[in-house]
Amino acid sequence: MTWIDIGALEDIPRRGARVLRTAQGCVAVFRTADDRVFALDDRCPHRGGPLSEGIVHGDAVTCPLHGLVIGLADGRARDAEGGKVETYPARIEGGRILIDAARLLPEGRAA
Amino acid sequence: MPPESEICGCNGVCKGTILAAIAGGATDLGTVRARTKASTSCGSCTGLVEQLLAHSLGDAFRKPASRPVCGCTELAHEDVRRLIRARGLKSMPAVMQELGWKTSCGCATCRPALNFYLLAEWPETYRDDPQSRFVNERNHANIQKDGTYSVVPRMWGGMTTPQELRAIADAAEKYQVPAVKVTGGQRIDLLGVRKEDLPRIWADLNAAGLVSGHAYGKALRTVKTCVGSDFCRFGTQDSTGLGIRLERRLWGAWTPHKVKLAVSGCPRNCAEATCKDVGIVCVESGYEIGVGGAAGMDVKATERLAKVATEDEAVEIVVAFVQLYRESANYLDRPYKWLAKVGLDWVRAQVVEDRDSRAALVARFDRAQAIFQKDPWAERTAPEARAAFTPLAHLAAEAAE
C-alpha cells in the first residue's frame, strides 16, 4: 500500500466531498456525518455524473445527474442493474486524510 | 396499449417491462421504480404506472391517500410542515428525531425539502445547510451533463445595457465559454464553465454590476416583459418598469419550486404572461393578475387572481401571493399544483380580499428578504470561499514532492 496525505479532514464538509485529481482521473473523497472517509472514482456508472457533487446520506451518495444511489464503502449502485465504481482505501490519522494511492499514481511513480 | 409502448419517456421504460416487474412481485410504486427506473426522473408518468399497478393487482393495490415524503418517514409533506410549525422544530436533527425519521441523516429527497421548510419557517434563526441542497443550489450554477456549469446573470425584467453585454462577452471569451445561449426567460446563458472558474467569472460579472440570476434555484427565476408603453404603440402601462420592480422585490427568495413571472403591456400579451406562475397583463384601466400558469410538463393558462387599478397594489398582491406559496406549498410543487390542492378562492381570500392578511404576508416576506436577498455570487468570490470550488489535491504533484 502507498498511503499519501491528501489534506485535512476539515477541508471536506460533513456529508460532503472534494475531488482528488490523479493521473488516472478524478477521485471523489467523501466525509460522512460521523466522520468516516471514503474514496471512489468520481464517475457514476450510469452516465458518468460527478458523484462528488451528490447529496451524501448515511454511507451512500445520490448522483446529481439522474439520482442513482451508490454505496460509499463498496462503490455499488443500489438498483437492479447494480453498476459499480472503483473504490480506494482511505483513513484518517491525526486529522489528516490518507489514501492508498497504489493504483492512482502515474506509471513508475509508485513507491 | 401494446406491451412495447413507452410509459416512461425519460428512462425509456415500456409497458411490458413494468407489467413484468409487477408480476414479479413489485406491488407498490416504490418497488416498480427501484426495479424498472420508470417514474424516477421527471415523475410525469407516475399516474400511468399507478394505473398499471391498479389494473394488474386490482383491489390488492391501494394508492396511498397522501404519499410520504420519502422512504425515511411515513409522514406526508403537509404533516411535516404542520409539525415543524406546531412543535417549534428548528433544526434538521430536531425534525428527524422528533418525527421519528427511520434513517440517521435522511436522504437526497427529504433533506432538500426539510432545508426549505426550516428556512421558510425560521428565517432569522435557521442556518442554511448547503449539504442538503441539490448541486445547483450548492454551487449557484446549473450542472451540465459533462460536469461543467452554466452561468446566467440577472437581467432585471429582461432589460440590459451595452456595458452589461460587453462584460458578458468579455467573460465568455476570457473563460473560453463554449456556448452562449439566449434563454426563454430573456437572459443570457454561458454554458460549459468549469467549476474552478465559477468564482472568477462571478467576480468579473459582479464588477460590471451583474449578479446571480438564480437560474439554478427553487427561487424567483425571471420576470419576462414586453417593451410596454415606453416604446410600443399598443402598450397601455409601463410593463418593463413593473417587471423590473417585481424582480427587484422578489429576487433571492427561496421558494418550494422555481417561480417565473411575466408582465405584458397589453392584451396582445407578447411576454406570454398567461402561462407563467404569476402573469400580469396590463390594460388601460389597470392590471390583471393571473396565477398558476404552466408551460412545461403541463401546459396551463393562468387563472385570474385579481384586477387592480394601481401598480403599487399589483406589487403588494404578487408579493403576498409568493409568500403564501412559500408558507403553504409542498416542496417541488409549482404554484399551479399547489393551487389545485388549496383552491384559488382560499388564496384570493388571504391575498386579495383580507387586507390585514395581505399586509401580514408582505411583512413576513420582507422580513425573510432582509436575510436572503444577498447576491450568492458576491459571497463566494473571496479567496477563502473560492477554495471550496477547487480540487482537494493533485495527486501527481503531491507524490512528486
Side-chain angles (χ1 to χ4, degrees):
Chain A
M1 284 191 159
T2 311
W3 291 101
I4 289 184
D5 181 332
I6 53 167
L9 182 62
E10 294 310 311
D11 291 340
I12 306 178
R14 285 204 174 99
R15 300 171 304 162
R18 292 281 295 280
V19 165
L20 174 67
R21 288 250 169 91
T22 83
Q24 322 300 330
C26 286
V27 172
V29 185
F30 292 91
R31 177 184 180 186
T32 61
D34 55 358
D35 281 347
R36 289 173 296 151
V37 291
F38 297 95
L40 290 73
D41 273 343
D42 195 19
R43 270 186 68 81
C44 181
H46 175 222
R47 294 206 190 156
L51 297 174
S52 57
E53 299 292 358
I55 290 180
V56 179
H57 42 95
D59 51 8
V61 61
T62 297
C63 176
L65 291 197
H66 306 96
L68 199 69
V69 178
I70 307 279
L72 296 178
D74 60 8
R76 282 190 190 284
R78 293 181 180 170
D79 75 338
E81 288 159 34
K84 186 183 178 314
V85 293
E86 207 56 54
T87 61
Y88 307 92
R91 62 186 167 94
I92 305 164
E93 201 174 283
R96 306 291 300 180
I97 303 167
L98 305 181
I99 189 169
D100 176 14
R103 285 174 291 145
L104 292 169
L105 290 170
E107 294 290 318
R109 279 263 181 82
Chain B
M1 221 193 301
E4 62 274 14
S5 54
E6 189 175 67
I7 300 288
C8 173
C10 294
N11 293 318
V13 188
C14 65
K15 180 183 166 189
T17 308
I18 296 168
L19 290 178
I22 295 169
T27 57
D28 59 52
L29 182 65
T31 315
V32 171
R33 280 177 172 166
R35 293 198 188 162
T36 69
K37 286 204 176 81
S39 149
T40 57
S41 288
C42 81
S44 65
C45 65
T46 302
L48 284 174
V49 175
E50 284 178 336
Q51 277 178 32
L52 290 177
L53 278 160
H55 191 73
S56 307
L57 302 170
D59 290 343
F61 173 70
R62 275 189 306 149
K63 188 176 161 182
S66 64
R67 261 189 224 124
V69 173
C70 62
C72 303
T73 178
E74 301 296 332
L75 297 169
H77 283 273
E78 294 85 348
D79 304 324
V80 173
R81 282 211 97 163
R82 189 171 40 77
L83 289 163
I84 285 174
R85 216 162 277 164
R87 297 204 201 165
L89 305 175
K90 301 206 167 166
S91 71
M92 212 175 290
V95 172
M96 290 179 179
Q97 187 164 355
E98 292 287 317
L99 304 185
W101 241 244
K102 291 182 270 185
T103 49
S104 64
C105 69
C107 72
T109 300
C110 62
R111 288 234 308 273
L114 293 181
N115 192 56
F116 169 73
Y117 293 151
L118 287 162
L119 72 80
E121 196 62 37
W122 319 109
E124 281 100 350
T125 52
Y126 179 69
R127 270 192 62 187
D128 186 63
D129 177 18
Q131 300 314 129
S132 294
R133 284 187 178 273
F134 181 62
V135 54
N136 292 354
E137 292 188 353
R138 195 179 334 117
N139 290 339
H140 294 277
N142 285 61
I143 197 162
Q144 305 298 312
K145 61 187 272 190
D146 63 355
T148 63
Y149 291 82
S150 82
V151 171
V152 182
R154 198 166 281 289
M155 288 178 172
W156 308 97
M159 297 295 283
T160 185
T161 63
Q163 290 87 340
E164 284 183 352
L165 292 172
R166 217 169 269 130
I168 291 168
D170 287 344
E173 285 185 343
K174 181 172 170 187
Y175 299 97
Q176 298 173 321
V177 170
V180 181
K181 172 120 183 47
V182 175
T183 74
Q186 301 182 335
R187 308 293 141 109
I188 292 177
D189 194 351
L190 305 174
L191 290 143
V193 180
R194 296 179 310 157
K195 184 182 179 187
E196 51 264 49
D197 283 338
L198 288 172
R200 285 192 289 266
I201 197 168
W202 295 339
D204 287 5
L205 294 168
N206 275 169
L210 291 156
V211 298
S212 163
H214 292 84
Y216 48 80
K218 314 297 180 222
L220 175 82
R221 291 285 179 92
T222 54
V223 183
K224 185 173 178 174
T225 67
C226 68
V227 291
S229 55
D230 270 1
F231 288 94
C232 179
R233 65 202 161 103
F234 299 120
T236 62
Q237 311 282 353
D238 178 13
S239 51
T240 43
L242 175 54
I244 292 167
R245 197 173 154 192
L246 283 167
E247 191 158 347
R248 295 252 178 220
R249 188 77 178 265
L250 297 171
W251 76 277
W254 297 109
T255 42
H257 206 313
K258 58 187 170 185
V259 175
K260 297 181 179 180
L261 276 68
V263 185
S264 283
C266 83
R268 289 171 190 77
N269 192 17
C270 293
E272 295 162 345
T274 46
C275 64
K276 295 292 183 281
D277 297 297
V278 179
I280 297 180
V281 176
C282 302
V283 290
E284 275 301 330
S285 56
Y287 305 83
E288 295 172 356
I289 305 170
V291 292
M297 287 193 288
D298 296 306
V299 179
K300 220 182 139 297
T302 50
E303 291 180 78
R304 173 81 67 88
L305 176 68
K307 158 95 190 281
V308 297
T310 67
E311 197 181 284
D312 286 350
E313 197 174 10
V315 171
E316 295 302 284
I317 286 175
V318 170
V319 169
F321 175 83
V322 171
Q323 178 63 15
L324 189 60
Y325 170 59
R326 296 178 75 237
E327 291 179 4
S328 140
N330 290 351
Y331 188 67
L332 299 188
D333 273 357
R334 288 288 284 270
Y336 76 97
K337 288 207 172 160
W338 166 63
L339 285 165
K341 287 176 187 166
V342 299
L344 185 60
D345 290 343
W346 180 81
V347 171
R348 188 184 291 117
Q350 297 176 76
V351 167
V352 182
E353 289 155 9
D354 181 340
R355 284 173 183 260
D356 292 340
S357 158
R358 187 200 304 176
L361 283 163
V362 171
R364 290 200 292 277
F365 183 80
D366 288 342
R367 220 175 69 204
Q369 284 297 75
I371 290 148
F372 296 113
Q373 201 171 62
K374 295 191 182 98
D375 177 24
W377 289 358
E379 291 179 323
R380 285 162 181 79
T381 52
E384 57 276 15
R386 288 185 191 193
F389 290 84
T390 60
L392 180 64
H394 296 260
L395 200 52
E398 296 272 321
E401 278 171 12

